[in-house]
């Protein structure tokens, strides 16, 4: 089975020969997200669009045939999109949600497809919540706990609420620019063998308050 875009593959290739102290991302993603609300005001899921960096996109496309050189249709990318979607579960979908402080679980991705434009790949997919939930406070974080993948949200319209009650207010918090500190912390964490949640300091946080 072809697994070109399993999430850690390129990271492992680029990190060959590196020491644990050199902890930093190897894949960069520019993201936008939508929180999907049902008519009763409950949150039913999260819709993501993740655009990979050009080097990773080029790597992932190796061996994929297309009718027109340099042009890839959704159909031609469908098996690769499926591989991406199926691989997400192993890493918790890089998406973590809490409703009124309680952790929420997601179903497998649906409505997924890959788009190729301007020499980069964008993965579109929806994560349905296992149980739609109504809450006063909803927090959704997007990050890679081990920081092999760096998620940066788009500067314009990074997050949207779709179908949310008019009383809901959304705030979006980007991670602080802590690259230098991350390097030092990376040395400590990785040398001690504890890198299980290193990437949390780089989390992108969506907070929704619905009175």
């Amino acid at each position: 089975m072809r697994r070109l875009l399993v999430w850690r593959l390129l990271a492992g290739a680029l990190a060959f020969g590196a020491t644990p102290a050199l902890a930093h991302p190897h894949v960069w993603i520019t993201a936008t997200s939508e929180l999907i609300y049902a008519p009763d005001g409950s949150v039913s899921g999260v819709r993501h669009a993740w655009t990979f960096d050009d080097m990773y996109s080029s790597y992932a496309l190796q061996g994929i045939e297309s009718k027109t050189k340099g042009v890839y249709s959704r159909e031609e990318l469908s098996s690769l999109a499926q591989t991406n979607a199926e691989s997400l579960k192993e890493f918790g979908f890089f998406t973590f949600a809490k409703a009124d402080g309680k952790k929420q679980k997601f179903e497998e991705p649906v409505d997924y497809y890959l788009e190729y434009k301007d020499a980069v790949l964008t993965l579109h997919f929806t994560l349905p919540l296992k149980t739609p939930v109504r809450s006063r406070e909803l927090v959704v974080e997007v990050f890679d706990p081990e920081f092999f993948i760096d998620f940066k949200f788009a500067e314009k319209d990074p997050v949207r609420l779709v179908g949310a009650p008019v009383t809901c207010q959304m705030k979006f918090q980007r991670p602080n620019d802590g690259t230098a500190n991350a390097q030092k912390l990376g040395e400590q964490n990785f040398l001690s063998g504890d890198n299980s949640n290193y990437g949390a300091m780089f989390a992108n946080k969506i907070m929704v308050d619905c009175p």
Side-chain angles (χ1 to χ4, degrees):
M1 180 178 178
R2 245 167 127 254
R3 298 182 65 82
L4 280 178
L5 207 50
V6 175
W7 294 97
R8 297 285 193 262
L9 188 57
L10 183 59
L14 293 180
F16 180 78
T19 64
L22 299 177
H24 56 79
H26 297 287
V27 180
W28 289 263
I29 288 177
T30 301
T32 60
S33 297
E34 295 177 337
L35 302 188
I36 312 301
Y37 284 77
D40 66 355
S42 63
V43 181
S44 60
V46 182
R47 184 183 297 131
H48 288 309
W50 292 351
T51 300
F52 298 96
D53 62 84
D54 54 355
M55 183 166 58
Y56 197 21
S57 296
S58 177
Y59 179 86
L61 289 169
Q62 290 180 14
I64 295 182
E65 297 182 357
S66 63
K67 293 181 180 179
T68 305
K69 185 177 181 180
V71 178
Y72 298 89
S73 66
R74 288 191 191 181
E75 291 72 23
E76 290 166 338
L77 295 171
S78 60
S79 62
L80 186 59
Q82 182 178 356
T83 297
N84 274 255
E86 291 176 349
S87 299
L88 283 169
K89 185 176 181 179
E90 183 179 352
F91 308 107
F93 310 108
F94 302 113
T95 306
F96 309 91
K98 286 185 178 181
D100 292 331
K102 296 181 180 179
K103 291 183 180 180
Q104 304 299 309
K105 295 182 179 181
F106 291 101
E107 298 280 7
E108 300 281 351
V110 298
D111 301 331
Y112 54 81
Y113 65 92
L114 274 168
E115 177 185 23
Y116 184 72
K117 184 179 180 181
D118 298 329
V120 293
L121 287 167
T122 299
L123 177 64
H124 299 263
F125 65 100
T126 299
L127 286 176
L129 281 169
K130 286 194 172 183
T131 304
V133 61
R134 295 186 66 174
S135 63
R136 178 181 177 85
E137 295 180 346
L138 176 70
V139 177
V140 178
E141 293 183 296
V142 178
F143 65 97
D144 177 2
E146 296 183 12
F147 202 46
F148 281 103
I149 301 171
D150 184 13
F151 288 90
K152 179 182 179 182
F153 272 68
E155 293 298 328
K156 182 178 180 182
D157 299 326
V159 182
R160 292 179 60 239
L161 303 183
V162 179
V166 294
T167 56
C168 292
Q169 299 293 321
M170 188 267 290
K171 293 181 180 179
F172 175 62
Q173 180 179 312
R174 300 178 187 273
N176 293 327
D177 184 9
T179 305
N181 289 335
Q183 190 77 11
K184 295 177 182 178
L185 288 172
E187 294 179 11
Q188 296 172 4
N189 290 357
F190 279 82
L191 288 175
S192 69
D194 181 15
N195 64 337
S196 59
N197 204 36
Y198 169 67
M201 71 178 71
F202 301 101
N204 298 272
K205 185 179 293 186
I206 305 165
M207 297 163 285
V208 184
D209 186 12
C210 294

